[in-house]
Amino acid sequence: MARERSPERNKAKQMWLESGGAMKLKNIAAALSIPEGRVRKWKSMDRWQDELKGNVFDSSNGNVPNGTKGNAPNPRGAPKGNKNAVGNRGGAPPGNQNAKGNSGGPGGPYRNKKALKHGLYETIFLDTLDEQEQALFDSIEVKPLDELKMTLKTLVIQERKIMHRIKQLESGLTDEEKKIKEELYQRKDKVPYTSPKTGKQINLSVETEGMKVTEITTVVASKLDKILKQEDHLNKVRDKKIRVLAQIAAIEHEQARLKLASDRLELDRFKAQGYGGPEGDEADDDDDEEDDEW
């Protein structure tokens, strides 16, 4: 149902028309205690300027002003009092059974991999591995420090490869790509033919279809774009290398801390058992004095 027209809208229009268009919109807004932007919007939508010039709307022509051929304003919703949509809640009408029994389809099969492209986000299921993959899976020993060092080595090699490609691009090498356009056409070929009656060999004209090159385009790729892309990859590889180095340093530091704590515990255990320390030294001195007296 259309919203009821605001009474301030008609008042604002009447005030402006009575002033001959001289009254400022901000003063109208202040008098009616409404935002100035709303008054400005009403002025544009209701065409106050046209009505002030005498271009009143003719009811027989709908929304088109008299004496003009301008575009009619866009209608905003149903007219006031329109009840065509009363009781309409949207959706299918009551009692409609067009979708009865439709469960929406079974969808893709379980573990469907039809959309697999590069395998970067592929889910690995252990029961789907072949014999070689299963043997490899069983032989892998997970050692974080060794894995990080292996990753660091591959990142160093990858960094060198990227730097080598950048050097090649900067040395003036250009990549040319040839695009060849071919079209299908009809052609006549001469085919040798031996007559079975006379035994003479003649050439028969036979129409065949073939491909003909119609256009060759050579495209020289931009070296600058390629260099910038390679440098972007290089920065990403170096960021990964820094993170891997930080992880290796953290693990080695933790291992050294645990080794030092283990050595201290071992030393305290020896002292508790009477090996070494001040008490042990005093006992040795007593034994030496007894030997002297003997």
Side-chain angles (χ1 to χ4, degrees):
M1 191 173 188
R3 188 172 57 181
E4 187 177 356
R5 186 183 179 91
S6 174
E8 286 81 4
R9 187 168 180 172
N10 296 330
K11 292 180 181 179
K13 178 180 178 181
Q14 189 67 24
M15 293 171 62
W16 189 82
L17 291 176
E18 289 178 355
S19 67
M23 191 172 185
K24 295 183 178 181
L25 300 182
K26 63 179 182 180
N27 296 334
I28 297 176
L32 299 177
S33 300
I34 56 177
E36 182 183 352
R38 188 179 303 174
V39 179
R40 195 174 304 277
K41 180 180 178 181
W42 289 343
K43 179 183 177 184
S44 176
M45 293 176 59
D46 296 344
R47 296 176 178 264
W48 294 1
Q49 194 71 31
D50 293 341
E51 190 164 343
L52 181 65
K53 294 179 181 180
N55 293 332
V56 297
F57 292 100
D58 186 3
S59 59
S60 62
N61 294 331
N63 291 330
V64 182
N66 285 338
T68 65
K69 296 182 180 180
N71 296 329
N74 295 327
R76 299 180 60 82
K80 184 178 179 181
N82 185 287
K83 296 183 179 180
N84 292 339
V86 173
N88 185 5
R89 296 176 296 176
N96 185 285
Q97 298 184 2
N98 292 341
K100 183 178 181 180
N102 183 5
S103 59
Y110 181 59
R111 298 181 180 179
N112 176 26
K113 292 188 179 182
K114 292 183 179 179
L116 183 65
K117 294 182 179 178
H118 45 66
L120 182 61
Y121 306 106
E122 179 186 6
T123 302
I124 303 299
F125 300 100
L126 297 183
D127 57 344
T128 61
L129 301 179
D130 55 28
E131 294 182 0
Q132 294 181 353
E133 292 173 342
Q134 187 67 45
L136 176 63
F137 180 84
D138 296 336
S139 63
I140 294 175
E141 295 182 4
V142 180
K143 295 181 179 180
L145 186 59
D146 294 341
E147 292 293 331
L148 287 173
K149 289 182 178 180
M150 182 67 69
T151 302
L152 179 62
K153 292 179 180 179
T154 56
L155 288 174
V156 172
I157 295 175
Q158 188 176 4
E159 180 183 18
R160 183 185 178 279
K161 286 181 175 292
I162 295 176
M163 293 176 66
H164 180 66
R165 285 194 289 267
I166 293 176
K167 185 177 180 180
Q168 285 183 330
L169 290 171
E170 291 178 346
S171 64
L173 297 179
T174 58
D175 293 337
E176 293 186 355
E177 178 183 357
K178 288 188 176 180
K179 296 182 178 180
I180 300 175
K181 181 180 179 181
E182 296 181 342
E183 294 182 356
L184 184 66
Y185 74 103
Q186 299 284 341
R187 67 183 183 187
K188 291 184 178 182
D189 294 335
K190 296 293 185 178
V191 179
Y193 174 75
T194 302
S195 175
K197 293 182 179 180
T198 61
K200 293 183 180 181
Q201 187 175 2
I202 59 175
N203 292 328
L204 296 179
S205 297
V206 180
E207 289 188 358
T208 58
E209 292 183 350
M211 300 298 295
K212 180 174 63 175
V213 177
T214 58
E215 182 180 356
I216 299 178
T217 305
T218 302
V219 180
V220 179
S222 174
K223 291 190 301 181
L224 180 59
D225 293 341
K226 288 192 173 185
I227 291 174
L228 292 176
K229 289 181 180 180
Q230 293 295 333
E231 289 180 348
D232 184 52
H233 295 331
L234 181 62
N235 292 332
K236 292 180 180 179
V237 170
R238 287 177 174 173
D239 290 341
K240 291 180 181 179
K241 190 172 73 170
I242 291 173
R243 290 196 296 268
V244 171
L245 285 171
Q247 292 175 351
I248 291 175
I251 291 177
E252 290 180 344
H253 176 74
E254 184 66 17
Q255 288 179 347
R257 188 185 67 82
L258 293 175
K259 180 67 169 56
L260 180 60
S262 177
D263 293 343
R264 287 179 178 176
L265 288 175
E266 189 69 16
L267 181 60
D268 292 341
R269 186 175 66 83
F270 284 148
K271 288 181 179 180
Q273 293 177 356
Y275 300 102
E279 296 180 357
D281 295 341
E282 292 177 359
D284 293 340
D285 293 341
D286 293 341
D287 293 340
D288 293 340
E289 291 176 359
E290 290 178 359
D291 293 339
D292 293 340
E293 292 176 359
W294 177 260

